[in-house]
Amino acid sequence: MNTPNYENILLTVENDIATLTINRPKSMNALNTATLIEIGQAFDLIRENQDEVKIVVVTGAGEKAFVAGADISEMRDMNSLQAAELSKIAHNSFSKIENLPQLTIAAVNGYCLGGGCELASSCDVRVVSSKAKFGQPEVGLGIVPGFGGTQRLTRLVGRGKAKEIISMATMISAEEAHRIGLADEIAEPEELMNKVNEIAAAVMKNSPIAVGMAKYVIDRAADLPLDIAIDFETQMWAQTFATNDQKEGMSAFLEKRSATFNGD
């Protein structure tokens, strides 16, 4: 996959893993409009080249921050219409992450605040440094989270805890984030990417069709009534039996060998 030279992000692909790095370390990787647009463009490119990418990792440049928030210097003088447009751009890009067939992993290497927490929450899995700090500090700036924080955070940690985190506008530790379900795995800073690669390797052994379909079922059916969700799961389960990956996976099991999945 040919990756463009972006101004605010880096996109690399190696061993079927795409790594998108927010590359604005001088501003703690703050998300401005241009960066949000580039994130969306990068995920469009990844979707167009699904055969070359099985896992996507999102991280931030440097050791201090994953993303310390949205760019306040850009937002300070915005009016309501401009703020609404920025929110739409962010939602568009983050929805592309959330709806990607491949599994996405946020490798959180430092401050993960405001827009950064919202970006991480749009990924499927969050692997975090033991020194990471999470928070939604928007109310301390006189605004509310506008990049999905009131919604994705609530779905991850529950209404009461989301209201507490947002209303207090204070930072929480990696350990607390893990306890409440915001972080899925914790690693020491020097072991963060090893842990990410360990998870990626385990996922990539499996059928990419099945992984993508499982992600789709979880995301689409989680808020449905249980009987409807079960019906939906049954439909998706049945569809997997029309794939070559299903034939290969079950044949390999019965033949006591490792499966070789082609994603078809």
Side-chain angles (χ1 to χ4, degrees):
M1 185 173 79
N2 293 323
T3 56
N5 292 321
Y6 297 101
E7 183 180 349
N8 300 286
I9 66 173
L10 300 173
L11 180 62
T12 60
V13 180
E14 185 175 356
N15 298 325
D16 296 328
I17 301 174
T19 301
L20 187 153
T21 304
I22 311 300
N23 189 34
R24 303 185 72 216
K26 291 182 180 179
S27 61
M28 304 281 277
N29 299 322
L31 300 174
N32 60 8
T33 301
T35 304
L36 290 166
I37 291 172
E38 288 185 353
I39 291 171
Q41 292 171 341
F43 274 90
D44 283 338
L45 183 63
I46 291 168
R47 179 178 280 274
E48 292 167 4
N49 293 271
Q50 291 184 38
D51 293 344
E52 300 178 46
V53 177
K54 293 182 179 178
I55 294 280
V56 182
V57 177
V58 179
T59 193
E63 299 179 356
K64 292 184 178 180
F66 171 74
V67 169
D71 194 328
I72 297 172
S73 64
E74 180 185 55
M75 295 190 300
R76 182 183 59 184
D77 297 323
M78 283 184 175
N79 58 35
S80 294
L81 291 176
Q82 292 168 325
E85 181 60 27
L86 177 61
S87 179
K88 290 177 183 177
I89 291 169
H91 284 307
N92 179 59
S93 293
F94 291 1
S95 291
K96 289 177 181 179
I97 300 172
E98 192 170 52
N99 295 322
L100 197 74
Q102 299 97 315
L103 197 78
T104 57
I105 303 174
V108 180
N109 48 319
Y111 290 111
C112 185
L113 307 174
C117 191
E118 291 165 311
L119 172 59
S121 296
S122 69
C123 295
D124 298 307
V125 177
R126 283 153 295 284
V127 182
V128 312
S129 161
S130 59
K131 295 183 178 180
K133 301 290 184 182
F134 290 81
Q136 297 282 171
E138 287 87 350
V139 297
L141 300 171
I143 60 175
V144 300
F147 295 177
T150 64
Q151 302 306 307
R152 291 192 179 94
L153 182 63
T154 300
R155 285 161 170 76
L156 287 170
V157 305
R159 290 189 183 187
K161 184 57 69 172
K163 290 175 182 177
E164 177 186 308
I165 290 170
I166 292 171
S167 298
M168 292 179 66
T170 55
M171 289 188 288
I172 62 174
S173 67
E175 289 75 16
E176 176 66 4
H178 184 259
R179 187 185 72 81
I180 64 177
L182 180 54
D184 298 298
E185 298 282 350
I186 302 178
E188 292 305 309
E190 63 274 11
E191 293 296 321
L192 178 63
M193 295 313 297
N194 287 337
K195 173 59 72 172
V196 169
N197 289 329
E198 177 185 318
I199 293 170
V203 172
M204 291 193 297
K205 290 179 180 178
N206 303 312
S207 162
I209 290 181
V211 170
M213 195 169 286
K215 170 180 171 175
Y216 181 78
V217 174
I218 291 168
D219 287 343
R220 293 297 179 271
D223 296 320
L224 297 175
L226 183 58
D227 57 341
I228 297 175
I230 291 297
D231 286 342
F232 184 53
E233 179 190 78
T234 298
Q235 293 172 26
M236 296 298 102
W237 180 74
Q239 286 185 27
T240 62
F241 282 77
T243 68
N244 290 324
D245 275 5
Q246 176 266 333
K247 303 297 186 293
E248 167 63 12
M250 292 190 176
S251 296
F253 177 84
L254 293 174
E255 296 165 11
K256 296 181 172 57
R257 61 176 175 82
S258 298
T260 301
F261 294 112
N262 294 318
D264 59 2

